[in-house]
Amino acid sequence: MDFDFQPLPKGRTHDLVVSLDRVDPGFLGWLTRLPENRRQIMYAVLAKAGADFLRPRRQGQEPTRPSSEQLLALRPVLTDMRQLRAGDLLERWYGSSPDGFLGAVSKTKEGPQGGAYYARLHTVFTDPKHKQIAKIVRLLPTINFGRLNVLMALDPIFLSPGFCSKVRDAQQAADLSTALMLIRQVVGEDASDEALTNSIRSIGENTSVSQWVATWLSRAGHIACPRLNLDPEWQALDSGEKLRDTGLRLQVCLGTAERVIETLKGQKFYYENTRHSMIAEVQAVGPQRFLILAGVHARRNAPVPRRMHREVEEEFLAAGVPSLTSWPEDCPWRAIERIPNGFYDFGIEEDFDLCGLEGEAA
């Protein structure tokens, strides 16, 4: 007679542990009383010993329920688990117990992992190409399937204990490889392997992965700004260095990583008037990357005198970059502007409720 085997939320290895108590009464109690590190060794052995019926026959299918004969066949394994030392037990079932493997299994957290986790962990310590990952695993206080997947997905240059512990998941690890490629492209020679490695190893405790990427991108050597037919007094801020220096000199927020990334993505561009110490902010809108003059700022973001502001608008309009105020009255964007402004004009923005209108329209 088959045992009643109901899948449990904790996973297939956990299901097997519970089922084995049927053929070896007291096994579950014995296992739960073990120290956490020793218990993880037992989970690894059971994941390997029960691999045939823990693994689904086809992708997307549930694994087959173990029969009473299959469970009874594992009783010698349960005897070994009680009698053999941890290292000997792993060597018997995994073929070898390389240096570091026992320690890594012992510090696994979050209950029983799947068989794929223990197999991959064993590969990390037996395959020379994973030497750097094995070194990181030895240094980590704990390990689980998610963290192991992160390490496997990371570019080798990021395999530093302080850095890789900040990486959220395997997707972010893959994104870092793309970010690394972009950093090397836009920064150039300054983004050498040595410089990047030193930066990764010395990352601050309070510095996030995204901040690290943004800081490197802010050192971009060249930013592709649109060539506008402007007076020579207007200089395009087409590098991270120019944005930083101008931001410090005029005491405006141009040198931040966010500003540089906006320009690298082609969302915003900045031009400095060296004679009057002004900054013109040009924004690209819409799928056609239509340029508009989004703002003109003086030192410390002070407002520009109205007359001078109009002169700047006229000069940029002549160069093909209109501002919102220079667009004609029949421009479609004017209608968009008037819709929300009308609510404010009537003073009903807080109580204005569209639900009734939507009901009437329906």
Side-chain angles (χ1 to χ4, degrees):
M1 182 177 76
D2 288 350
F3 291 95
D4 183 21
F5 180 75
Q6 297 296 328
L8 298 176
K10 297 214 173 194
R12 297 168 184 167
T13 306
H14 187 282
D15 299 341
L16 176 61
V17 169
V18 174
S19 296
L20 284 170
D21 199 60
R22 303 288 186 88
V23 296
D24 189 344
F27 170 74
L28 186 58
W30 170 81
L31 185 66
T32 55
R33 287 191 296 270
L34 290 177
E36 176 65 21
N37 58 343
R38 174 77 179 181
R39 195 182 313 135
Q40 288 294 338
I41 304 297
M42 305 308 154
Y43 291 151
V45 172
L46 288 175
K48 184 72 171 179
D52 289 341
F53 48 88
L54 289 175
R55 186 186 305 115
R57 291 180 176 178
R58 295 181 182 177
Q59 187 174 2
Q61 289 185 345
E62 289 294 323
T64 56
R65 298 192 301 176
S67 65
S68 56
E69 290 77 13
Q70 288 175 317
L71 293 173
L72 288 169
L74 292 178
R75 293 188 69 175
V77 179
L78 307 186
T79 301
D80 288 345
M81 291 169 63
R82 289 186 173 97
Q83 296 179 352
L84 296 181
R85 295 184 303 175
D88 296 336
L89 197 57
L90 289 176
E91 186 170 359
R92 170 171 294 188
W93 283 98
Y94 285 86
S96 64
S97 182
D99 180 42
F101 180 54
L102 173 59
V105 173
S106 299
K107 62 185 178 182
T108 299
K109 295 300 180 182
E110 299 180 7
Q113 304 287 310
Y117 163 76
Y118 299 108
R120 184 170 296 183
L121 194 61
H122 186 261
T123 301
V124 163
F125 288 96
T126 54
D127 192 334
K129 72 179 182 182
H130 296 313
K131 184 177 180 180
Q132 281 184 276
I133 298 177
K135 182 179 179 181
I136 298 297
V137 172
R138 288 189 180 96
L139 295 174
L140 292 176
T142 61
I143 185 73
N144 58 29
F145 207 175
R147 183 52 43 187
L148 184 60
N149 285 339
V150 166
L151 296 177
M152 300 288 281
L154 278 172
D155 187 284
I157 198 171
F158 293 118
L159 290 175
S160 174
F163 191 94
C164 64
S165 63
K166 298 173 180 287
V167 182
R168 182 177 60 251
D169 50 33
Q171 181 60 59
Q172 190 176 61
D175 290 341
L176 273 170
S177 296
T178 303
L180 182 64
M181 176 189 67
L182 291 173
I183 288 170
R184 285 171 169 155
Q185 285 179 357
V186 303
V187 178
E189 295 180 355
D190 289 342
S192 63
D193 285 348
E194 181 180 2
L196 289 167
T197 299
N198 291 336
S199 174
I200 289 167
R201 290 177 178 174
S202 60
I203 188 170
E205 182 178 351
N206 297 322
T207 303
S208 67
V209 169
S210 59
Q211 289 172 331
W212 181 89
V213 171
T215 300
W216 267 101
L217 288 176
S218 69
R219 300 170 63 177
H222 176 70
I223 298 172
C225 287
R227 295 184 179 182
L228 304 178
N229 187 20
L230 300 170
D231 189 279
E233 294 175 348
W234 289 101
Q235 299 293 321
L237 303 181
D238 55 4
S239 72
E241 182 180 4
K242 289 181 180 179
L243 284 166
R244 286 197 308 273
D245 291 347
T246 304
L248 289 172
R249 180 162 34 83
L250 300 184
Q251 300 180 40
V252 292
C253 300
L254 286 180
T256 62
E258 289 76 15
R259 292 291 179 272
V260 178
I261 292 174
E262 284 176 346
T263 58
L264 286 171
K265 292 167 67 176
Q267 295 175 334
K268 291 184 179 180
F269 308 98
Y270 298 92
Y271 298 82
E272 180 191 7
N273 187 299
T274 55
R275 180 182 177 185
H276 298 290
S277 298
M278 292 186 301
I279 298 296
E281 178 183 336
V282 174
Q283 186 170 346
V285 297
Q288 302 300 322
R289 316 300 292 170
F290 184 72
L291 299 179
I292 63 169
L293 180 63
V296 183
H297 314 284
R299 185 185 299 272
R300 296 183 179 178
N301 285 323
V304 175
R306 188 171 299 177
R307 179 185 58 79
M308 186 174 292
H309 199 289
R310 283 199 300 267
E311 291 177 357
V312 172
E313 288 182 340
E314 291 172 0
E315 184 172 359
F316 272 79
L317 179 60
V321 182
S323 67
L324 292 177
T325 58
S326 63
W327 284 6
E329 284 299 321
D330 60 352
C331 173
W333 288 107
R334 290 291 192 188
I336 300 299
E337 285 186 289
R338 285 193 293 267
I339 292 173
N341 288 342
F343 302 159
Y344 289 96
D345 291 341
F346 285 106
I348 57 175
E349 68 275 10
E350 293 183 359
D351 299 324
F352 195 77
D353 185 4
L354 293 177
C355 294
L357 294 179
E358 290 174 353
E360 292 178 10

